[in-house]
Amino acid sequence: MSGVAIIGGGPAGLSAAIYTARADKRTLVFDDGGGTTRDVSRMENVYGFPDGVTGPELVEVGQEHAKKYGAERISEEVVHIERTDDGFRVETTADEYAVDGVILATGADYERPAIADVEAYEGQGVSYCVECDAYFYRDRPVAVVGNGNYAATEALMLLDYTDDVWLLTNGADFNADPELQAKVDAAEIPVRTDRLDQLVGDDGLEGIVTTDGETIAVDGLFVALGTAGGTDLAEMLGIPVDGDEIVTEPDQLTTVDRVYAAGDATGGHQQIATSVGEGARAAINLLEAFRGADYVDYKKVPA
């Protein structure tokens, strides 16, 4: 029995599953229990949750929503995917599945810095998203760890929330583009190239200790090293990737017919709202492909 394989059980994948399941397509959501959303202790910028929501709560709500319309969660890791004469074969660690279409919503794993105890402080002072969490550090000392354009941009963005911002390269040279370096200098953001040893703090992050034993007092550390995304499955199908991002068209279509990608795996803002929207767009366009047509917004077509 064929249908739709959605690889990834985060916001993008579950949003897509709601659409395909409601369209009476057998919907298999492959979710091995990972994903960065499950690691988030609290979010206050998610539509419909004015009092905030945790990552696990948001995933659970999405699972129940998709399940309501018949989507099936497959708690198995996908290890291989290939085209067949009339569709695709998805192989997991436990079984094989034949499907008509695929939506890749594998997400992105954030690259952790080489500093002891980073994982212990994630959600307790360590963040991977300025847009998501800078609000919680208004007028408090924070730092960005990274040495390129991404780190410089994140440090400058933090100035909207606090004047006390450090940029820490963790032993590397600061190699952002000259224009960005000039902006960092003009904003008087201190750049330190010390090697960083460990994080400290009792009830949350209180400081970063350098290998020389000095403590840089901060309440928040924003990691800006880029992301390491799950592009292996895309490459198995011959789909182009750009670094750690799956390349798609504006309608989320990849270079392979009836294979779409959505969410953090495609890069962009890496926000819940973006992932949900891309998941919906991917599903809508995949359903149109099943019907042998491209999606047309007839409200925008001249009479």
Side-chain angles (χ1 to χ4, degrees):
M1 183 178 181
S2 58
V4 177
I6 298 175
I7 318 298
L14 292 171
S15 173
I18 291 167
Y19 279 82
T20 57
R22 278 174 55 88
D24 203 27
K25 295 293 181 183
R26 185 189 184 207
T27 298
L28 307 178
V29 180
F30 292 89
D31 178 11
D32 62 4
T36 54
T37 301
R38 287 184 169 95
D39 296 331
V40 180
S41 59
R42 188 167 188 79
M43 296 173 279
E44 292 189 351
N45 59 347
V46 178
Y47 177 85
F49 295 90
D51 297 323
V53 62
T54 70
E57 289 170 340
L58 190 65
V59 171
E60 183 177 357
V61 169
Q63 288 175 339
E64 290 301 317
H65 196 165
K67 181 180 177 181
K68 173 183 177 181
Y69 297 111
E72 304 172 46
R73 181 188 177 206
I74 309 296
S75 302
E76 300 166 10
E77 179 185 355
V78 175
V79 295
H80 189 79
I81 185 170
E82 64 181 21
R83 282 182 280 189
T84 62
D85 291 339
D86 55 356
F88 304 88
R89 184 178 68 87
V90 177
E91 180 183 346
T92 72
T93 51
D95 210 341
E96 295 182 3
Y97 302 83
V99 295
D100 301 310
V102 176
I103 296 176
L104 298 171
T106 50
D109 294 324
Y110 295 105
E111 184 179 342
R112 290 187 172 95
I115 309 172
D117 303 320
V118 165
E119 291 186 58
Y121 287 94
E122 289 176 352
Q124 302 295 322
V126 172
S127 172
Y128 294 81
C129 179
V130 168
E131 291 173 314
C132 305
D133 296 331
Y135 178 85
F136 301 118
Y137 297 93
R138 290 166 296 168
D139 302 318
R140 296 164 64 186
V142 297
V144 173
V145 60
N147 69 315
N149 291 341
Y150 182 31
T153 302
E154 296 288 86
L156 291 165
M157 188 182 302
L158 279 167
L159 293 174
D160 290 340
Y161 303 90
T162 177
D163 295 328
D164 195 346
V165 180
W166 295 82
L167 199 158
L168 312 176
T169 69
N170 197 15
D173 293 331
F174 182 35
N175 62 5
D177 290 344
E179 296 82 1
L180 280 173
Q181 291 197 36
K183 289 182 180 180
V184 169
D185 290 341
E188 298 182 350
I189 297 174
V191 178
R192 296 189 55 157
T193 59
D194 315 56
R195 295 283 310 174
L196 307 175
D197 182 39
Q198 64 177 329
L199 306 184
V200 294
D202 294 329
D203 297 321
L205 182 64
E206 296 176 7
I208 306 165
V209 182
T210 71
T211 53
D212 292 331
E214 181 182 353
T215 299
I216 303 170
V218 294
D219 293 339
L221 176 65
F222 290 85
V223 180
L225 299 174
T227 59
T231 56
D232 290 345
L233 296 176
E235 291 179 324
M236 288 176 189
L237 291 167
I239 296 169
V241 300
D242 182 5
D244 296 318
E245 300 171 4
I246 300 172
V247 177
T248 67
E249 298 294 330
D251 62 358
Q252 310 304 138
L253 177 65
T254 69
T255 54
V256 175
D257 186 38
R258 287 181 288 143
V259 177
Y260 293 74
D264 288 358
T266 66
H269 290 293
Q270 299 188 341
Q271 297 288 294
I272 297 294
T274 304
S275 294
V276 170
E278 289 188 359
R281 184 184 300 122
I284 290 170
N285 286 296
L286 176 57
L287 292 169
E288 290 293 335
F290 286 153
R291 289 190 281 268
D294 294 327
Y295 174 73
V296 177
D297 186 348
Y298 287 100
K299 292 182 179 179
K300 297 180 180 179
V301 175

